[in-house]
Amino acid sequence: MQSSTRIRTAVVAALLGLLAALSGPGSAQADPAAPAGSTVGDLTGFSADGSVYHLRAGTAEARVSFVSAETFRIELAPDGKFSDPAGDNIVLPQGAPPRTRWKERSDRYDLSSGDITLRAYKSPLRFALYRADGTQVWSEAKGISWDGEKTTQTLARGADEQFYGAGMQNGRGNTSHRDKTVEVGVDYDWDDGGHPNSVPFYLSSAGYGVFRNTFAPGTYAFTDPVTTTAQEQRFDAYYFAGDSAKDVIGQYTKLTGKPFLPPVYGLEMGDSDCYLHNANRGERRTLDSLKVADGYVENDMPNGWMLVNDGYGCGYEDLAETAKGLKDRDMELGLWTEDGIDKIADQVKAGQRVAKLDVAWVGDGYKFALDGCKDAYKGIEDNSDARGFTYAPESWSGAQRCGVQWSGDQYGTWDYIRWQIPTYAGATMSGLAYTTGDVDGIFGGSAKTYTRDLQWKMFLGTTMSMDGWAASDKQPFRYGEPYTTVNRDYLKLKESLLPYQYSYAHEATKTGVGMVRPLVLEYPDDPKAATDAAKYEFMSGEDFLVAPVYQDSTERDGIYLPKGTWTDYWSGRTYQGPVTVDDYSAPLDTLPLFVKGGAAVPMWPGIRSYKDRTATSPLAWDIYPQGNSSFTMYEDDGVTRQHRDGAYATQTADVRAPARGAGDVTVNIGESKGKFTGKQSSRPYEFSVHTGSAPGAVKLAGKLPRLASAAAYASAKQGWWYDRDDRGGVVKIKTAPLSTGRKFSVKLEGTSAVGGRDAAATAALSAPQGQEIGAGAPGTVAVDVTAGKADVTDAVLSLDVPDGWQVTPAAAVRRIPAGTTRRVEVKVTPAKDAEVGEARLTAVARYRSAGESRTAVQRIAAAVMPPPPSGEVWASDLEWLSSANGYGPAERDLSNGESGAADGHPLTLAGKVYEKGIGTHADSDIEVYLGGHCSKFTADAGIDDEIAGYGEVAFSVEADGKVLWTSAKVTGASAAVPVDVPLDGARHVRLKVTDTNASKTGDHGDWGAARFTCS
């Protein structure tokens, strides 16, 4: 591996050792005389001082302090001497406490605020919380206990009680922690199972949350009973009783700080790399970053900011000139704080607007991460009129008020995509409003994993890419087509959604609840929302359900849609939840994305940067009418802190529509309330109303003109057009500029709720998976048309195909009976130079059903195959359909090298040098297409001599999904293994090299003289 990777690994190892040696302000020293396993005893004294209560139990003393009507604090000092190592570092001033009362009963004291009552039982001292109506919230199963190292609270667990929180828990958190144990503390483990950005807070479905006010690490076991432990000989916890999880998160973040409001460029894509003296990329200068910035501009791709020194030992030069150059390209300058922030004042004055913190910058224990976040944030604000904006890979409670929590140095693999989905959604349950990871990681990666990862991360709110650590840089334009176009489309989709995402960012400053949400937060009564059925999906705000593709596949299974109407964002197909969707067609350009019925989504159409907005730019509303719904959009200048003094505006869209079926739809746009610098006094509006049925008329202070075509709509200044071919039928409306200070209404007469007048009569399209066609060769693509509850008649199916392809239209289908499926085959000839691999086609069916003309659309994938081989052919000379490798690329006719292509050495097994073959690093998987033309595969397999005896792998050959041959364990000391595998007309063959001892050290597997014998 490269030296830069070894440096980073060494730094993390050093930090772990350093932090283990530090006591830190939260890890109280153990008392050597303390007995092992002490539990608080019987109550021996009680006193009240306003809203603060003291309870003595022998030498131990507990203190209960009410903060609000639903929030209180319990402290316990085993020796009767209270301490507060966290002080005011985490908890913010809360104002005057509430009026409380107390009453002694035979077995306990009742301490009440009016909303809640904390019972303090006498013998022994233990606590239980009740609501005003007498229902129990939680109860200690035994009293607080401690030993020389830790203090533990033990709670009885409810029969159906679920638990969430503890900060960023990699691979977990958006589903319940019940029966699981989670660690709370900095561990520098950025893989699945690690817990960067821990938060000593959890919440329960029973309607409460607990925050341990400490910098000490802890262990929370949500077993029966529940035990929560902190590594200190003191107990200090705040409790929140709420009507919902959102309410509890709100109380917790009122105590520790509401999430900050990022600048609008902070919600755009970010880019990071080292430019000055970069060992991985050769000699460069800081100003070379502007060439990369030009790449975004030239490729018409949004990018909000760039870190220009992101690498160990990487400095900078020409800072002011670099900052200006980035601003000229609509980007802001960021810097990595590898060595602290003592220079931040000068850096900010030179143009820095983003500060990324790192583990190499070490201070005194856990508190340092929080201090670094606050100080870097303050450094930006003290030296500019901008908002503080930081990224941090390890943080603590309170960091939500100053930064984005970033999940660390990760890899670009399908598995990393998979477990990151629950990671970020789950972190919201701990008040972390902005959590993210680098697009496609910083190590490894591929064009396909990059594109798939970027798609869903556009719905996280904040994200960035990091370059310089993998074989190639990771800007979204690096991989060529079709990846560049797909990446551009998603970057621009995010840009258009900035008004929606920015409104949720503002909401988080009020509620503490971030935009990225586990399903259970929005659907707490859904029995599947807390389970693995919803683990690999999340809500982006209340309106978008995102189900990322996390496998190398063009389909996605197991998409759970909760109660309600859900519209496929790409096809317009509607689903009635609760339902689980399998076999969802997801070509490379298709992120499974669903919109909730009733959604009204504000958008900025057609921009690359938020700076493209002008005084005359339109505001668009994307509306999925169902019942009565609304959305309030938040606006300010996007950059300065003037909003904190009231310089902002809000505007609400209220939608009135049928709950289902036919009826009128009215969109009421309220006046924009408030002022800020740059506010539009008037603006044109655009509406996309997903009705599925054409209206009779559209009115805005009189009838708007109906336009006859897409071209007429595009050229008109105002009017409407019903596009039946767009996602099941969309009414498109545009207005002339209207005053933002006045409300207005748009009425669609005689239309319907989302899905159409008779949604159940809509036909659905699908396609068999695994369809293959040859470049330049005639073939067919099959599409299944399934009728809804009514017959489909006069169905005409067509395919939208890439440029240069030829399509012969299929004959019309006169009738498809209700509830049945008809397969239609369309003749297709790809271009001779068609790119081998996945091609995205769009099936379009125009038909009639239930008395209406309708259109169904569906994106599908077909695979373009290379010509099959003939004669004797070397495997290294074939075109590979796919190639996954454990480190760097798999090599043709060379051994596995470093991170670049063609940087290996001659293939050598047991002293024999092979001119032809494949060099890999486990785990490796190479797929070739034979088209049924080959009879056998031969090779010599082994670990390359360059490893000098290390390594341990197994080789295997698979054909059309079946394992044909597997070697025994092969080590670096083994002789070469002869391979002679009959293929019997296989179409697809995969050559795999798999690690067998979980170390992957020296696993350089060679396929020497790898050859296919074909007809």
Side-chain angles (χ1 to χ4, degrees), residues 52 57 230 236 238 299 359 463 536 570 639 666 669 719 837 905 907 958 962 966 996 1014:
V52 179
D236 187 351
Y238 286 83
N299 285 280
V359 297
T463 197
Y536 298 114
W570 311 109
V639 176
T666 301
I669 303 296
H905 303 98
L907 292 161
E958 296 181 8
K962 297 180 180 179
T966 299
T996 56
C1014 307

Side-chain angles (χ1 to χ4, degrees), residues 480-557:
E481 296 297 348
Y483 308 102
T484 295
T485 292
V486 176
N487 293 339
R488 179 189 300 112
D489 288 345
Y490 279 90
L491 285 163
K492 284 197 158 187
L493 175 58
K494 177 180 176 56
E495 205 73 11
S496 69
L497 287 171
L498 281 178
Y500 176 83
Q501 296 190 357
Y502 196 57
S503 296
Y504 273 101
H506 171 258
E507 180 181 298
T509 68
K510 305 298 182 184
T511 65
V513 179
M515 181 182 73
V516 181
R517 304 173 179 187
L519 264 64
V520 72
L521 191 60
E522 293 297 329
Y523 300 92
D525 298 324
D526 188 317
K528 288 190 174 182
T531 71
D532 284 355
K535 187 170 185 178
Y536 298 114
E537 58 194 68
F538 63 93
M539 300 296 298
S540 186
E542 296 181 9
D543 294 324
F544 289 101
L545 188 148
V546 185
V549 176
Y550 55 87
Q551 296 173 316
D552 188 2
S553 174
T554 58
E555 289 192 351
R556 171 68 150 87
D557 291 330

Side-chain angles (χ1 to χ4, degrees), residues 28 59 70 131 136 296 399 442 481 719 774 785:
T59 58
E70 294 182 304
R131 300 189 191 278
Q136 181 180 288
Y296 284 96
I442 71 169
E481 296 297 348
V785 184

Side-chain angles (χ1 to χ4, degrees), residues 121 150 167 311 328 415 593 792 816 837 858 906 977 992 999:
Y121 290 95
K150 62 186 181 297
D328 291 343
D415 197 47
L593 181 64
V792 164
I816 304 174
Q858 181 63 57
V977 177
K992 293 187 175 182
S999 78

Side-chain angles (χ1 to χ4, degrees), residues 74-104:
I74 296 177
E75 300 168 87
L76 185 137
D79 60 359
K81 299 175 182 178
F82 292 105
S83 62
D84 189 0
D88 59 1
N89 285 284
I90 303 175
V91 174
L92 301 178
Q94 296 296 299
R99 293 176 60 88
T100 60
R101 62 185 185 276
W102 64 273
K103 184 173 184 178
E104 183 177 6

Side-chain angles (χ1 to χ4, degrees), residues 35-154:
S38 300
T39 301
V40 67
D42 293 347
L43 188 66
T44 58
F46 173 84
S47 64
D49 181 11
S51 294
V52 179
Y53 300 90
H54 294 264
L55 303 97
R56 295 199 65 84
T59 58
E61 182 173 347
R63 182 166 62 193
V64 177
S65 310
F66 280 83
V67 177
S68 73
E70 294 182 304
T71 299
F72 61 91
R73 179 186 190 184
I74 296 177
E75 300 168 87
L76 185 137
D79 60 359
K81 299 175 182 178
F82 292 105
S83 62
D84 189 0
D88 59 1
N89 285 284
I90 303 175
V91 174
L92 301 178
Q94 296 296 299
R99 293 176 60 88
T100 60
R101 62 185 185 276
W102 64 273
K103 184 173 184 178
E104 183 177 6
R105 301 183 184 276
S106 60
D107 63 339
R108 68 182 189 268
Y109 285 89
D110 286 348
L111 317 178
S112 302
S113 69
D115 290 351
I116 55 174
T117 295
L118 181 66
R119 296 182 179 180
Y121 290 95
K122 297 179 179 179
S123 183
L125 174 60
R126 65 178 183 86
F127 297 99
L129 182 64
Y130 287 77
R131 300 189 191 278
D133 63 4
T135 57
Q136 181 180 288
V137 181
W138 58 260
S139 177
E140 288 185 327
K142 71 172 188 176
I144 295 169
S145 59
W146 63 91
D147 59 24
E149 297 179 350
K150 62 186 181 297
T151 307
T152 300
Q153 184 177 45
T154 305

